[in-house]
Structures are given as structure tokens and as C-alpha cells.
Amino acid sequence: MHHTRTGRGKPLLLVHGLGGSIRSWDTISPALALEREVIAMDLPGHGQTPAESDSGTFAGLARSLDEWLGSEDLAGIDMAGSSMGARVVLEMARRGRAGAVVALDPGGFWQGWERKFFQTTITASIALVRTLQPVLPSLAGNVAARSALMFQLSARPWDLNPMLVSNELRSFADTPTFGALVEDLANGRAQQGPAQGSAPVVIGWGRKDRLCLPRQAKRAMKAFPGAKLHWFDRSGHFPMWDQPEEAVRVILDATGSPARP
């Protein structure tokens, strides 16, 4: 599994979301690396990690990560995850394979019409992105186009770095398992809990999340009753993009490295 290591200190694993990659963390990984050894990885079928036979399912991704943790002697490592990756790290906590966990806007807690809403909107978005792929860099550089393309994922898409937007959208388009994962995530079972072990779990949620709606946070807390809930008041689906400094503080505080003032 392709991964990078930066910084020094107690190891911290970063797990990106659906269609993302190591680069999804570019807004906060340098700050985290001032305090921790940051290990960022590409899930199978994403970035530079080839897909495996079951990488089009959440269960397959969880299996791959679980086995990789064992092969790298990283069982019990502190973890932070985003979106689908947040659900992955919660699953590792449920299995007792993680240390402290921070899950930012995790998937897997939708019910009823929310499942169809997720599937329909994200499927339409990726179809549009694939059509526009040749002109993505120029669109990302235009405030109006960037705002339209990222509206569901960011509370303030016009403020996002154009390079970040271009890289992320291209990663969405290039992920071969994207469609299969959307189908599996939308129609599969809800994320189960609770965490095994005593390591802390923090669930962070953007109050302006338009993909995993804020109402789902209550269900996440019910599944993981020992967790602490942190609201990002001015954030959409990706707090590390909309409120990077606060995201760094939350991750470092939760995993035992208080952020510098």
C-alpha cells in the first residue's frame, strides 16, 4: 500500500475519503508533522495503490487496511480519517486495531432517503467531473466554477486553493472503484460500534456538511457512546479544508499531542 512518512514523534495514520489520496491532507499534514510522525496512505484503488479484488466495497477496504497494519507492525496506531476514511478508522477502533481515533464527518450513518440522496448526488457529481476532466485546472482556478463544483463538499468553496480542488477532482475521476464504492456505501449496512478498548474516539462534524448531514452525528454517537463529539461550526464535509487550524488542534489534542498556541 503506497504511503509516505513525514515528521518525527509518535506515529499518526491519516486515512483519506472516497476518491481521495494522500494529497487530500495537504492542508494540515505539514502542521501535524511538526508534532508527530505522519503516515499518510492511499487506500486500495486510490492514488498510487492498486485495487484488490474486493476494493469496491467498504468491507474490502477495511480488510486491506487491517492486514496492512499487521504487516507494518502498526496495530494500535493513532488514526485520523475523513469521510469514508473516517468510517474506516471507526471500524478499526471497533475491531480494537487503533489507538486514539479522530473521525471527521464519517459516512455510514445515513438512513432512509439520506442513502438515496448520497448516492444520487455523488454519482451525478462524479459523472460531471469526468466529463470536465480535460479542463479541470482552469475551472478550479475560476471562483464561480470552483464554488459550483465544490458546493456540496465545502462551506466556503470559493476560498479553497485551486490546486487542491484540481488535484482532488482529478483524483475522484481517476479512482476506478468510485462507482462500486458509492453503490456499496449507499446500500450496505450502517457502521457498527462501539470501539473495543479504552483509547479515546473523537467524532468531528461540520455543521454545514451537505453530504453527510449533521443530523447523522447523533447516530454516530449512539454507535460509539464513549466518543466525544466536536462540532466544526464553519465547516462543510471536510474540516481539514474549511477549518484547517481547528482540525489540527482537534487531532493533536485527541491523540495526546496538544497543539501549539
Side-chain angles (χ1 to χ4, degrees):
M1 213 177 292
H2 176 252
H3 63 283
T4 60
R5 293 176 181 251
T6 56
R8 298 177 63 184
K10 187 181 179 184
L12 170 67
L13 179 67
L14 302 181
V15 185
H16 62 78
L18 173 62
S21 71
I22 288 169
R23 302 196 66 176
S24 300
W25 299 97
D26 282 355
T27 51
I28 65 171
S29 54
L32 292 173
L34 294 176
E35 304 288 342
R36 305 292 294 269
E37 180 189 18
V38 174
I39 304 172
M41 41 80 71
D42 289 334
L43 289 168
H46 295 72
Q48 297 183 51
T49 302
E52 300 180 41
S53 60
D54 57 356
S55 297
T57 66
F58 175 79
L61 294 180
R63 176 200 60 76
S64 294
L65 179 58
D66 197 335
E67 292 180 0
W68 182 77
L69 292 172
S71 67
E72 296 289 323
D73 196 25
L74 291 174
I77 189 175
D78 293 343
M79 302 181 185
S82 169
S83 189
M84 182 185 71
R87 183 179 176 184
V88 169
V89 301
L90 287 176
E91 175 62 16
M92 294 302 106
R94 187 189 71 82
R95 299 182 184 190
R97 298 288 282 168
V101 160
V102 178
L104 302 176
D105 295 73
F109 298 103
W110 32 66
Q111 292 180 358
W113 65 268
E114 297 166 353
R115 289 176 175 267
K116 197 63 170 179
F117 171 79
F118 161 75
Q119 184 175 14
T120 301
T121 57
I122 205 70
T123 298
S125 295
I126 191 61
L128 177 62
V129 166
R130 284 176 171 158
T131 299
L132 297 175
Q133 193 168 7
V135 293
L136 283 179
S138 60
L139 290 176
N142 179 277
V143 172
R146 181 167 69 248
S147 298
L149 287 168
M150 303 300 286
F151 177 78
Q152 193 175 20
L153 302 180
S154 172
R156 300 186 308 280
W158 49 87
D159 284 338
L160 295 178
N161 183 296
M163 185 63 70
L164 169 72
V165 172
S166 179
N167 288 337
E168 201 70 11
L169 292 178
R170 193 173 296 280
S171 180
F172 290 173
D174 289 342
T175 299
T177 55
F178 197 100
L181 281 167
V182 168
E183 177 75 19
D184 181 74
L185 293 169
N187 298 298
R189 66 185 302 186
Q191 175 57 41
Q192 303 299 299
Q196 300 297 313
S198 59
V201 173
V202 173
I203 297 174
W205 222 290
R207 289 195 185 273
K208 299 181 180 180
D209 192 336
R210 303 181 185 102
L211 184 63
C212 293
L213 306 179
R215 61 195 288 172
Q216 296 166 20
K218 183 177 181 180
R219 299 169 203 152
M221 294 300 293
K222 184 177 181 180
F224 291 84
K228 176 182 177 182
L229 179 62
H230 178 90
W231 287 107
F232 291 88
D233 290 331
R234 297 178 293 108
S235 179
H237 188 61
F238 292 108
M240 71 275 203
W241 297 355
D242 287 345
Q243 294 184 248
E245 292 181 0
E246 185 174 353
V248 168
R249 289 197 301 271
V250 169
I251 291 171
L252 292 181
D253 286 349
T255 59
S257 298
R260 296 173 181 174

